Amino acid sequence: MATATLAKMQKMLKGIVPDIELAYKAELVDEILELKREKGAIILGHNYMEPALYHTIPDVVGDSLELSRKAAEAKEDIIVFCGVRFMAETAKILSPEKTVLLPAKVAGCSLASSITAADVRELKARYPGVPVVTYINTYADVKAETDICCTSGNAVAVVESLPGDSVIFIPDEYLAKNVARETGKHIIFPSKRAINDPDNQLDVQMVGWRGRCEVHDQFTPQDVENVRKQFPDVVVLAHPECPPEVVEAADFSGSTTAMVKYVQATNAPRYLMLTECSMADNIVAANPEKEMVGLCSIRCPHMNEITLEETRDALKFMQYQIEVPEEIRKPAYRAVERMLAIG
Ligand code: 13P
Ligand code: SF4
């Protein structure tokens, strides 16, 4: 009986996770911690994991950038990635000698599936010599075609690190627009014109792609206005994958970890988090004095595939192992390494 674990979980998660679930989940948590010790594994958990998982089994939690860094430094031979596939793939790109496990067969991402390696090759042919910045939310073969990766935590720094004035920034339309605004660049989205159409070259300050996060795409400026009307003292935080009008209407925008830190460091009467809904629950569990406005509960269906049961099975049956062919991994590694070198 997982009495000590249950007591800890009840203390932290009461009112966030129903009591009836806590008893069952505490048993699973103990089983996972035992398997983790036995196998000598490390568990990395993204900020969007559900509270009973987030606050119990990961050795490290964080945003995509922090978890990439941790994956690169990990001493353990087995990395269990409680996040989505592109994150686990990034861990494998950085540590090919390690066994990287994703506790769900698919765990995709609407941004990662919005673009293919062939699309990137076409963009490069259309804008020869223009460097390609790829959001980390892409699959390994797309990263392999590009010059440098970025995350929501360093996108502006990565774009500003490039020598010229032009950049291809893929695949998130909104992140690209938000970065364009911050860096003062004019952004265009290529039409289906022929590759050699001279109009393609008219303005290549920033070339975007029309991928979108299916979660952040749902927030509107009207949401912000409605909440501000009811709670004039609310502080609004928006992830940079939200539409630019939403980011503009917010008080703060940053990566998931930047949002967590912002709430921890400030003392507003209440906060509205325009991002995946587990984040607000995870913050409140660790900081019970903070008040969150429960605008809506938009759960990422892909992050939601990662459960305690699946994580237990990942360790028990060593599934699902991430593989990246060496001819893709090497160029993808260069793009991720360049990003990590930016600091
Ligand atoms: P972060 O890098 O900010 O954690 O974002 C990852 C993500 O998938 C957001 O939807
Ligand atoms: Fe992808 Fe959006 Fe889910 Fe993040 S929240 S993993 S960007 S679909």
Side-chain angles (χ1 to χ4, degrees):
M1 182 65 187
T3 332
T5 306
L6 178 58
K8 258 197 251 166
M9 288 172 74
Q10 277 170 334
K11 192 159 178 251
M12 187 170 231
L13 301 170
K14 214 169 176 44
I16 295 173
V17 180
D19 279 356
I20 187 92
E21 268 184 44
L22 279 178
Y24 163 70
K25 288 188 170 175
E27 300 268 352
L28 278 168
V29 166
D30 274 357
E31 215 181 323
I32 293 167
L33 294 178
E34 185 50 37
L35 281 163
K36 182 169 76 163
R37 259 191 304 272
E38 227 173 72
K39 308 242 172 172
I42 183 170
I43 301 184
L44 307 182
H46 187 262
N47 289 327
Y48 289 164
M49 290 296 101
E50 61 110 346
L53 187 158
Y54 181 84
H55 283 295
T56 54
I57 58 164
D59 298 280
V60 185
V61 290
D63 62 16
S64 309
L65 184 58
E66 293 172 309
L67 297 180
S68 308
R69 288 194 191 286
K70 200 66 213 173
E73 293 161 6
K75 303 274 174 290
E76 293 78 359
D77 292 330
I78 302 170
I79 299 175
V80 181
F81 214 118
C82 290
V84 287
R85 175 165 295 268
F86 74 80
M87 296 178 177
E89 261 192 14
T90 307
K92 185 70 182 178
I93 289 167
L94 288 163
S95 304
E97 71 293 351
K98 296 188 193 299
T99 301
V100 178
L101 303 174
L102 177 69
K105 251 195 201 132
V106 186
C109 167
S110 64
L111 279 171
S113 57
S114 72
I115 192 159
T116 65
D119 292 329
V120 187
R121 284 192 290 273
E122 199 184 314
L123 281 171
K124 288 197 292 190
R126 199 178 278 208
Y127 304 101
V130 178
V132 184
V133 175
T134 306
Y135 194 30
I136 198 108
N137 297 38
T138 45
Y139 293 119
D141 57 341
V142 166
K143 289 187 174 82
E145 291 291 339
T146 65
D147 296 288
I148 184 165
C149 287
C150 75
T151 71
S152 62
N154 62 11
V156 170
V158 166
V159 167
E160 285 179 341
S161 77
L162 300 172
D165 194 35
S166 312
V167 60
I168 297 172
F169 190 104
I170 50 174
D172 187 345
E173 172 184 345
Y174 296 149
L175 180 65
K177 285 178 171 167
N178 288 320
V179 170
R181 190 165 48 90
E182 273 198 62
T183 55
K185 288 190 189 295
H186 173 65
I187 185 164
I188 56 160
F189 291 86
S191 64
K192 290 278 174 207
R193 281 198 298 254
I195 285 174
N196 56 3
D197 184 329
D199 271 3
N200 286 327
Q201 306 302 321
L202 281 181
D203 181 349
V204 288
Q205 264 199 342
M206 194 160 184
V207 179
W209 188 257
R210 297 220 188 259
R212 289 182 187 181
C213 162
E214 66 194 86
V215 173
H216 295 95
D217 195 21
Q218 296 183 51
F219 297 114
T220 66
Q222 193 60 52
D223 292 333
V224 180
E225 207 183 308
N226 292 345
V227 172
R228 285 202 198 276
K229 223 176 258 165
Q230 193 181 351
F231 304 106
D233 53 6
V234 71
V235 168
V236 181
L237 293 88
H239 193 274
E241 288 171 11
C242 289
E245 315 79 68
V246 172
V247 169
E248 268 177 76
D251 300 295
F252 177 80
S253 177
S255 78
T256 52
T257 290
M259 291 165 99
V260 173
K261 287 186 175 157
Y262 184 95
V263 175
Q264 281 166 345
T266 53
N267 264 320
R270 51 182 63 79
Y271 298 89
L272 169 67
M273 311 285 294
L274 298 177
T275 191
E276 213 270 356
C277 65
S278 293
M279 275 262 304
D281 288 342
N282 289 336
I283 293 175
V284 169
N287 308 271
E289 74 289 358
K290 306 282 181 190
E291 195 181 315
M292 295 286 164
V293 178
L295 169 70
C296 49
S297 357
I298 307 179
R299 185 87 174 99
C300 169
H302 314 292
M303 292 282 181
N304 199 33
E305 286 182 42
I306 310 299
T307 60
L308 285 168
E309 288 88 339
E310 295 280 7
T311 308
R312 186 257 331 264
D313 290 350
L315 279 163
K316 211 171 176 175
F317 306 116
M318 296 298 283
Q319 65 190 24
Y320 297 90
Q321 295 198 21
I322 299 291
E323 299 298 344
V324 180
E326 211 39 25
E327 67 278 13
I328 288 175
R329 192 197 68 81
K330 276 193 185 140
Y333 176 84
R334 271 200 306 274
V336 179
E337 250 306 284
R338 278 189 196 128
M339 170 189 86
L340 293 178
I342 283 184

mmCIF file of all heavy atoms in Angstrom, residues 68-112:
data_model
loop_
_atom_site.group_PDB
_atom_site.id
_atom_site.type_symbol
_atom_site.label_atom_id
_atom_site.label_comp_id
_atom_site.label_asym_id
_atom_site.label_seq_id
_atom_site.Cartn_x
_atom_site.Cartn_y
_atom_site.Cartn_z
ATOM 1 N N SER A 68 15.416 19.525 -23.551
ATOM 2 C CA SER A 68 16.432 19.171 -24.554
ATOM 3 C C SER A 68 17.810 19.213 -23.904
ATOM 4 O O SER A 68 18.640 18.330 -24.100
ATOM 5 C CB SER A 68 16.469 20.154 -25.725
ATOM 6 O OG SER A 68 15.223 20.323 -26.269
ATOM 7 N N ARG A 69 18.055 20.276 -23.128
ATOM 8 C CA ARG A 69 19.358 20.391 -22.459
ATOM 9 C C ARG A 69 19.578 19.216 -21.518
ATOM 10 O O ARG A 69 20.664 18.629 -21.460
ATOM 11 C CB ARG A 69 19.428 21.687 -21.636
ATOM 12 C CG ARG A 69 19.544 22.923 -22.483
ATOM 13 C CD ARG A 69 19.967 24.129 -21.621
ATOM 14 N NE ARG A 69 19.840 25.365 -22.370
ATOM 15 C CZ ARG A 69 20.657 25.759 -23.339
ATOM 16 N NH1 ARG A 69 21.670 24.989 -23.684
ATOM 17 N NH2 ARG A 69 20.452 26.885 -23.980
ATOM 18 N N LYS A 70 18.544 18.877 -20.772
ATOM 19 C CA LYS A 70 18.661 17.784 -19.800
ATOM 20 C C LYS A 70 18.910 16.464 -20.529
ATOM 21 O O LYS A 70 19.720 15.647 -20.089
ATOM 22 C CB LYS A 70 17.364 17.714 -18.978
ATOM 23 C CG LYS A 70 17.511 17.003 -17.697
ATOM 24 C CD LYS A 70 18.446 17.750 -16.738
ATOM 25 C CE LYS A 70 19.201 16.737 -15.886
ATOM 26 N NZ LYS A 70 20.250 17.373 -15.061
ATOM 27 N N ALA A 71 18.225 16.269 -21.644
ATOM 28 C CA ALA A 71 18.402 15.028 -22.414
ATOM 29 C C ALA A 71 19.847 14.918 -22.902
ATOM 30 O O ALA A 71 20.420 13.827 -22.937
ATOM 31 C CB ALA A 71 17.440 15.004 -23.593
ATOM 32 N N ALA A 72 20.442 16.062 -23.253
ATOM 33 C CA ALA A 72 21.823 16.044 -23.746
ATOM 34 C C ALA A 72 22.804 15.707 -22.629
ATOM 35 O O ALA A 72 23.836 15.084 -22.865
ATOM 36 C CB ALA A 72 22.169 17.394 -24.359
ATOM 37 N N GLU A 73 22.456 16.108 -21.387
ATOM 38 C CA GLU A 73 23.402 15.920 -20.264
ATOM 39 C C GLU A 73 23.193 14.622 -19.501
ATOM 40 O O GLU A 73 24.035 14.233 -18.701
ATOM 41 C CB GLU A 73 23.174 17.029 -19.214
ATOM 42 C CG GLU A 73 23.524 18.413 -19.657
ATOM 43 C CD GLU A 73 22.842 19.460 -18.762
ATOM 44 O OE1 GLU A 73 22.206 19.104 -17.745
ATOM 45 O OE2 GLU A 73 22.950 20.641 -19.113
ATOM 46 N N ALA A 74 22.053 13.967 -19.698
ATOM 47 C CA ALA A 74 21.670 12.830 -18.831
ATOM 48 C C ALA A 74 22.749 11.746 -18.791
ATOM 49 O O ALA A 74 23.309 11.377 -19.818
ATOM 50 C CB ALA A 74 20.346 12.252 -19.313
ATOM 51 N N LYS A 75 23.023 11.244 -17.596
ATOM 52 C CA LYS A 75 24.034 10.185 -17.418
ATOM 53 C C LYS A 75 23.379 8.801 -17.582
ATOM 54 O O LYS A 75 24.041 7.821 -17.889
ATOM 55 C CB LYS A 75 24.638 10.244 -16.001
ATOM 56 C CG LYS A 75 25.268 11.569 -15.636
ATOM 57 C CD LYS A 75 26.727 11.670 -16.096
ATOM 58 C CE LYS A 75 27.307 13.047 -15.857
ATOM 59 N NZ LYS A 75 26.758 14.113 -16.715
ATOM 60 N N GLU A 76 22.091 8.723 -17.324
ATOM 61 C CA GLU A 76 21.388 7.442 -17.345
ATOM 62 C C GLU A 76 21.340 6.865 -18.759
ATOM 63 O O GLU A 76 21.320 7.619 -19.737
ATOM 64 C CB GLU A 76 19.945 7.617 -16.821
ATOM 65 C CG GLU A 76 19.846 7.979 -15.352
ATOM 66 C CD GLU A 76 20.128 9.451 -15.059
ATOM 67 O OE1 GLU A 76 20.422 10.226 -15.990
ATOM 68 O OE2 GLU A 76 20.057 9.819 -13.872
ATOM 69 N N ASP A 77 21.255 5.534 -18.869
ATOM 70 C CA ASP A 77 21.202 4.895 -20.195
ATOM 71 C C ASP A 77 19.795 4.907 -20.776
ATOM 72 O O ASP A 77 19.600 4.688 -21.971
ATOM 73 C CB ASP A 77 21.684 3.441 -20.101
ATOM 74 C CG ASP A 77 23.164 3.395 -19.787
ATOM 75 O OD1 ASP A 77 23.877 4.338 -20.192
ATOM 76 O OD2 ASP A 77 23.604 2.445 -19.109
ATOM 77 N N ILE A 78 18.819 5.085 -19.903
ATOM 78 C CA ILE A 78 17.423 5.067 -20.387
ATOM 79 C C ILE A 78 16.761 6.405 -20.057
ATOM 80 O O ILE A 78 16.782 6.849 -18.900
ATOM 81 C CB ILE A 78 16.623 3.925 -19.711
ATOM 82 C CG1 ILE A 78 17.295 2.577 -19.999
ATOM 83 C CG2 ILE A 78 15.161 3.932 -20.158
ATOM 84 C CD1 ILE A 78 16.736 1.429 -19.185
ATOM 85 N N ILE A 79 16.192 7.027 -21.087
ATOM 86 C CA ILE A 79 15.438 8.280 -20.877
ATOM 87 C C ILE A 79 13.975 7.985 -21.188
ATOM 88 O O ILE A 79 13.647 7.554 -22.291
ATOM 89 C CB ILE A 79 15.930 9.401 -21.827
ATOM 90 C CG1 ILE A 79 17.412 9.726 -21.572
ATOM 91 C CG2 ILE A 79 15.075 10.655 -21.678
ATOM 92 C CD1 ILE A 79 18.018 10.744 -22.546
ATOM 93 N N VAL A 80 13.104 8.195 -20.206
ATOM 94 C CA VAL A 80 11.664 8.079 -20.465
ATOM 95 C C VAL A 80 11.165 9.503 -20.649
ATOM 96 O O VAL A 80 11.309 10.341 -19.751
ATOM 97 C CB VAL A 80 10.914 7.401 -19.299
ATOM 98 C CG1 VAL A 80 9.430 7.286 -19.612
ATOM 99 C CG2 VAL A 80 11.517 6.033 -19.007
ATOM 100 N N PHE A 81 10.588 9.782 -21.821
ATOM 101 C CA PHE A 81 10.167 11.146 -22.108
ATOM 102 C C PHE A 81 8.660 11.281 -21.962
ATOM 103 O O PHE A 81 7.903 10.810 -22.806
ATOM 104 C CB PHE A 81 10.601 11.564 -23.518
ATOM 105 C CG PHE A 81 10.951 13.034 -23.570
ATOM 106 C CD1 PHE A 81 12.224 13.454 -23.898
ATOM 107 C CD2 PHE A 81 10.012 13.987 -23.237
ATOM 108 C CE1 PHE A 81 12.561 14.803 -23.903
ATOM 109 C CE2 PHE A 81 10.335 15.335 -23.236
ATOM 110 C CZ PHE A 81 11.613 15.744 -23.573
ATOM 111 N N CYS A 82 8.229 11.911 -20.862
ATOM 112 C CA CYS A 82 6.804 12.168 -20.675
ATOM 113 C C CYS A 82 6.490 13.509 -21.353
ATOM 114 O O CYS A 82 6.495 14.581 -20.726
ATOM 115 C CB CYS A 82 6.440 12.181 -19.194
ATOM 116 S SG CYS A 82 6.546 10.556 -18.461
ATOM 117 N N GLY A 83 6.271 13.419 -22.644
ATOM 118 C CA GLY A 83 5.984 14.574 -23.485
ATOM 119 C C GLY A 83 5.501 14.007 -24.801
ATOM 120 O O GLY A 83 5.048 12.861 -24.837
ATOM 121 N N VAL A 84 5.636 14.760 -25.878
ATOM 122 C CA VAL A 84 5.168 14.219 -27.167
ATOM 123 C C VAL A 84 6.352 13.746 -28.026
ATOM 124 O O VAL A 84 7.516 13.956 -27.671
ATOM 125 C CB VAL A 84 4.260 15.224 -27.913
ATOM 126 C CG1 VAL A 84 2.898 15.317 -27.230
ATOM 127 C CG2 VAL A 84 4.903 16.586 -28.011
ATOM 128 N N ARG A 85 6.017 13.106 -29.150
ATOM 129 C CA ARG A 85 7.027 12.407 -29.952
ATOM 130 C C ARG A 85 8.201 13.295 -30.380
ATOM 131 O O ARG A 85 9.350 12.901 -30.293
ATOM 132 C CB ARG A 85 6.365 11.773 -31.185
ATOM 133 C CG ARG A 85 7.342 11.120 -32.169
ATOM 134 C CD ARG A 85 6.624 10.226 -33.142
ATOM 135 N NE ARG A 85 6.029 9.104 -32.448
ATOM 136 C CZ ARG A 85 6.615 7.914 -32.263
ATOM 137 N NH1 ARG A 85 7.825 7.702 -32.737
ATOM 138 N NH2 ARG A 85 5.997 6.952 -31.615
ATOM 139 N N PHE A 86 7.907 14.525 -30.837
ATOM 140 C CA PHE A 86 9.032 15.337 -31.337
ATOM 141 C C PHE A 86 10.035 15.617 -30.208
ATOM 142 O O PHE A 86 11.224 15.785 -30.453
ATOM 143 C CB PHE A 86 8.538 16.627 -32.009
ATOM 144 C CG PHE A 86 8.038 17.696 -31.066
ATOM 145 C CD1 PHE A 86 8.918 18.529 -30.382
ATOM 146 C CD2 PHE A 86 6.684 17.894 -30.869
ATOM 147 C CE1 PHE A 86 8.462 19.509 -29.515
ATOM 148 C CE2 PHE A 86 6.212 18.867 -30.009
ATOM 149 C CZ PHE A 86 7.105 19.676 -29.319
ATOM 150 N N MET A 87 9.554 15.661 -28.975
ATOM 151 C CA MET A 87 10.458 15.909 -27.839
ATOM 152 C C MET A 87 11.335 14.685 -27.587
ATOM 153 O O MET A 87 12.546 14.810 -27.359
ATOM 154 C CB MET A 87 9.641 16.230 -26.576
ATOM 155 C CG MET A 87 8.830 17.500 -26.691
ATOM 156 S SD MET A 87 7.837 17.791 -25.212
ATOM 157 C CE MET A 87 7.107 19.371 -25.638
ATOM 158 N N ALA A 88 10.723 13.507 -27.638
ATOM 159 C CA ALA A 88 11.489 12.267 -27.428
ATOM 160 C C ALA A 88 12.487 12.082 -28.569
ATOM 161 O O ALA A 88 13.630 11.650 -28.354
ATOM 162 C CB ALA A 88 10.530 11.086 -27.342
ATOM 163 N N GLU A 89 12.071 12.446 -29.768
ATOM 164 C CA GLU A 89 12.983 12.355 -30.925
ATOM 165 C C GLU A 89 14.186 13.264 -30.727
ATOM 166 O O GLU A 89 15.319 12.900 -31.046
ATOM 167 C CB GLU A 89 12.246 12.785 -32.197
ATOM 168 C CG GLU A 89 11.749 11.638 -33.021
ATOM 169 C CD GLU A 89 11.292 12.123 -34.393
ATOM 170 O OE1 GLU A 89 11.584 13.267 -34.814
ATOM 171 O OE2 GLU A 89 10.620 11.339 -35.049
ATOM 172 N N THR A 90 13.936 14.469 -30.192
ATOM 173 C CA THR A 90 15.040 15.397 -29.953
ATOM 174 C C THR A 90 16.029 14.795 -28.955
ATOM 175 O O THR A 90 17.250 14.919 -29.113
ATOM 176 C CB THR A 90 14.503 16.759 -29.445
ATOM 177 O OG1 THR A 90 13.511 17.213 -30.365
ATOM 178 C CG2 THR A 90 15.593 17.805 -29.342
ATOM 179 N N ALA A 91 15.490 14.127 -27.935
ATOM 180 C CA ALA A 91 16.376 13.469 -26.955
ATOM 181 C C ALA A 91 17.236 12.416 -27.650
ATOM 182 O O ALA A 91 18.434 12.299 -27.393
ATOM 183 C CB ALA A 91 15.546 12.845 -25.843
ATOM 184 N N LYS A 92 16.636 11.652 -28.559
ATOM 185 C CA LYS A 92 17.380 10.597 -29.264
ATOM 186 C C LYS A 92 18.427 11.209 -30.213
ATOM 187 O O LYS A 92 19.530 10.693 -30.349
ATOM 188 C CB LYS A 92 16.391 9.717 -30.053
ATOM 189 C CG LYS A 92 17.015 8.520 -30.719
ATOM 190 C CD LYS A 92 17.453 7.468 -29.710
ATOM 191 C CE LYS A 92 18.123 6.278 -30.381
ATOM 192 N NZ LYS A 92 18.581 5.276 -29.417
ATOM 193 N N ILE A 93 18.062 12.327 -30.835
ATOM 194 C CA ILE A 93 19.006 13.028 -31.732
ATOM 195 C C ILE A 93 20.251 13.434 -30.933
ATOM 196 O O ILE A 93 21.375 13.307 -31.398
ATOM 197 C CB ILE A 93 18.320 14.275 -32.363
ATOM 198 C CG1 ILE A 93 17.272 13.832 -33.390
ATOM 199 C CG2 ILE A 93 19.341 15.226 -32.991
ATOM 200 C CD1 ILE A 93 16.328 14.949 -33.836
ATOM 201 N N LEU A 94 20.027 13.896 -29.697
ATOM 202 C CA LEU A 94 21.139 14.364 -28.871
ATOM 203 C C LEU A 94 21.910 13.230 -28.212
ATOM 204 O O LEU A 94 23.090 13.351 -27.950
ATOM 205 C CB LEU A 94 20.599 15.315 -27.794
ATOM 206 C CG LEU A 94 20.149 16.683 -28.308
ATOM 207 C CD1 LEU A 94 19.273 17.380 -27.276
ATOM 208 C CD2 LEU A 94 21.348 17.554 -28.661
ATOM 209 N N SER A 95 21.229 12.144 -27.927
ATOM 210 C CA SER A 95 21.865 11.025 -27.202
ATOM 211 C C SER A 95 21.573 9.706 -27.911
ATOM 212 O O SER A 95 20.816 8.879 -27.397
ATOM 213 C CB SER A 95 21.322 10.961 -25.772
ATOM 214 O OG SER A 95 21.504 12.159 -25.110
ATOM 215 N N PRO A 96 22.176 9.476 -29.083
ATOM 216 C CA PRO A 96 21.824 8.298 -29.873
ATOM 217 C C PRO A 96 22.189 6.976 -29.198
ATOM 218 O O PRO A 96 21.584 5.948 -29.490
ATOM 219 C CB PRO A 96 22.642 8.475 -31.162
ATOM 220 C CG PRO A 96 23.733 9.438 -30.819
ATOM 221 C CD PRO A 96 23.209 10.311 -29.733
ATOM 222 N N GLU A 97 23.135 7.028 -28.262
ATOM 223 C CA GLU A 97 23.567 5.789 -27.609
ATOM 224 C C GLU A 97 22.590 5.375 -26.509
ATOM 225 O O GLU A 97 22.659 4.262 -26.002
ATOM 226 C CB GLU A 97 24.995 5.947 -27.065
ATOM 227 C CG GLU A 97 25.182 6.867 -25.855
ATOM 228 C CD GLU A 97 24.920 8.369 -26.096
ATOM 229 O OE1 GLU A 97 24.744 8.793 -27.257
ATOM 230 O OE2 GLU A 97 24.870 9.119 -25.097
ATOM 231 N N LYS A 98 21.676 6.258 -26.157
ATOM 232 C CA LYS A 98 20.737 5.946 -25.073
ATOM 233 C C LYS A 98 19.441 5.343 -25.611
ATOM 234 O O LYS A 98 19.094 5.552 -26.767
ATOM 235 C CB LYS A 98 20.401 7.212 -24.283
ATOM 236 C CG LYS A 98 21.610 7.790 -23.578
ATOM 237 C CD LYS A 98 21.218 8.907 -22.651
ATOM 238 C CE LYS A 98 22.427 9.687 -22.194
ATOM 239 N NZ LYS A 98 23.415 8.904 -21.461
ATOM 240 N N THR A 99 18.751 4.610 -24.735
ATOM 241 C CA THR A 99 17.421 4.120 -25.085
ATOM 242 C C THR A 99 16.432 5.211 -24.689
ATOM 243 O O THR A 99 16.367 5.592 -23.516
ATOM 244 C CB THR A 99 17.105 2.828 -24.306
ATOM 245 O OG1 THR A 99 18.103 1.871 -24.635
ATOM 246 C CG2 THR A 99 15.726 2.290 -24.650
ATOM 247 N N VAL A 100 15.708 5.744 -25.676
ATOM 248 C CA VAL A 100 14.720 6.784 -25.373
ATOM 249 C C VAL A 100 13.326 6.176 -25.538
ATOM 250 O O VAL A 100 12.992 5.631 -26.597
ATOM 251 C CB VAL A 100 14.890 8.012 -26.294
ATOM 252 C CG1 VAL A 100 13.820 9.060 -26.001
ATOM 253 C CG2 VAL A 100 16.277 8.623 -26.123
ATOM 254 N N LEU A 101 12.541 6.273 -24.469
ATOM 255 C CA LEU A 101 11.200 5.678 -24.487
ATOM 256 C C LEU A 101 10.140 6.775 -24.457
ATOM 257 O O LEU A 101 10.218 7.705 -23.645
ATOM 258 C CB LEU A 101 11.007 4.775 -23.264
ATOM 259 C CG LEU A 101 12.010 3.633 -23.086
ATOM 260 C CD1 LEU A 101 11.768 2.917 -21.752
ATOM 261 C CD2 LEU A 101 11.912 2.634 -24.245
ATOM 262 N N LEU A 102 9.159 6.660 -25.337
ATOM 263 C CA LEU A 102 7.981 7.536 -25.331
ATOM 264 C C LEU A 102 6.819 6.662 -24.855
ATOM 265 O O LEU A 102 6.513 5.657 -25.498
ATOM 266 C CB LEU A 102 7.718 8.066 -26.749
ATOM 267 C CG LEU A 102 6.479 8.947 -26.931
ATOM 268 C CD1 LEU A 102 6.646 10.289 -26.224
ATOM 269 C CD2 LEU A 102 6.199 9.193 -28.420
ATOM 270 N N PRO A 103 6.163 7.024 -23.751
ATOM 271 C CA PRO A 103 5.151 6.128 -23.205
ATOM 272 C C PRO A 103 3.822 6.090 -23.982
ATOM 273 O O PRO A 103 2.799 5.767 -23.395
ATOM 274 C CB PRO A 103 4.918 6.671 -21.788
ATOM 275 C CG PRO A 103 6.032 7.599 -21.519
ATOM 276 C CD PRO A 103 6.473 8.126 -22.838
ATOM 277 N N ALA A 104 3.815 6.395 -25.248
ATOM 278 C CA ALA A 104 2.590 6.255 -26.053
ATOM 279 C C ALA A 104 3.034 5.997 -27.482
ATOM 280 O O ALA A 104 4.088 6.489 -27.899
ATOM 281 C CB ALA A 104 1.758 7.524 -25.983
ATOM 282 N N LYS A 105 2.208 5.250 -28.209
ATOM 283 C CA LYS A 105 2.608 4.871 -29.574
ATOM 284 C C LYS A 105 2.715 6.073 -30.495
ATOM 285 O O LYS A 105 3.591 6.162 -31.335
ATOM 286 C CB LYS A 105 1.561 3.910 -30.143
ATOM 287 C CG LYS A 105 2.070 2.507 -30.272
ATOM 288 C CD LYS A 105 1.165 1.677 -31.153
ATOM 289 C CE LYS A 105 1.406 0.219 -30.826
ATOM 290 N NZ LYS A 105 0.236 -0.562 -30.605
ATOM 291 N N VAL A 106 1.789 7.027 -30.355
ATOM 292 C CA VAL A 106 1.756 8.143 -31.303
ATOM 293 C C VAL A 106 2.199 9.451 -30.646
ATOM 294 O O VAL A 106 3.271 9.960 -30.930
ATOM 295 C CB VAL A 106 0.356 8.278 -31.955
ATOM 296 C CG1 VAL A 106 0.398 9.339 -33.044
ATOM 297 C CG2 VAL A 106 -0.112 6.944 -32.538
ATOM 298 N N ALA A 107 1.387 10.019 -29.782
ATOM 299 C CA ALA A 107 1.656 11.310 -29.105
ATOM 300 C C ALA A 107 2.234 12.329 -30.084
ATOM 301 O O ALA A 107 3.377 12.771 -29.970
ATOM 302 C CB ALA A 107 2.564 11.113 -27.890
ATOM 303 N N GLY A 108 1.440 12.707 -31.059
ATOM 304 C CA GLY A 108 1.881 13.608 -32.134
ATOM 305 C C GLY A 108 1.840 15.067 -31.717
ATOM 306 O O GLY A 108 1.985 15.416 -30.545
ATOM 307 N N CYS A 109 1.613 15.935 -32.707
ATOM 308 C CA CYS A 109 1.542 17.379 -32.463
ATOM 309 C C CYS A 109 1.076 17.995 -33.772
ATOM 310 O O CYS A 109 1.622 17.675 -34.837
ATOM 311 C CB CYS A 109 2.917 17.913 -32.078
ATOM 312 S SG CYS A 109 3.036 19.714 -32.118
ATOM 313 N N SER A 110 0.075 18.879 -33.711
ATOM 314 C CA SER A 110 -0.466 19.438 -34.962
ATOM 315 C C SER A 110 0.576 20.303 -35.683
ATOM 316 O O SER A 110 0.534 20.436 -36.905
ATOM 317 C CB SER A 110 -1.730 20.259 -34.683
ATOM 318 O OG SER A 110 -1.430 21.378 -33.888
ATOM 319 N N LEU A 111 1.510 20.869 -34.941
ATOM 320 C CA LEU A 111 2.557 21.664 -35.601
ATOM 321 C C LEU A 111 3.536 20.743 -36.312
ATOM 322 O O LEU A 111 3.892 20.971 -37.466
ATOM 323 C CB LEU A 111 3.308 22.503 -34.565
ATOM 324 C CG LEU A 111 2.631 23.796 -34.133
ATOM 325 C CD1 LEU A 111 3.368 24.406 -32.953
ATOM 326 C CD2 LEU A 111 2.578 24.771 -35.292
ATOM 327 N N ALA A 112 3.971 19.695 -35.617
ATOM 328 C CA ALA A 112 4.956 18.779 -36.205
ATOM 329 C C ALA A 112 4.401 18.124 -37.475
ATOM 330 O O ALA A 112 5.144 17.889 -38.431
ATOM 331 C CB ALA A 112 5.369 17.728 -35.188
#
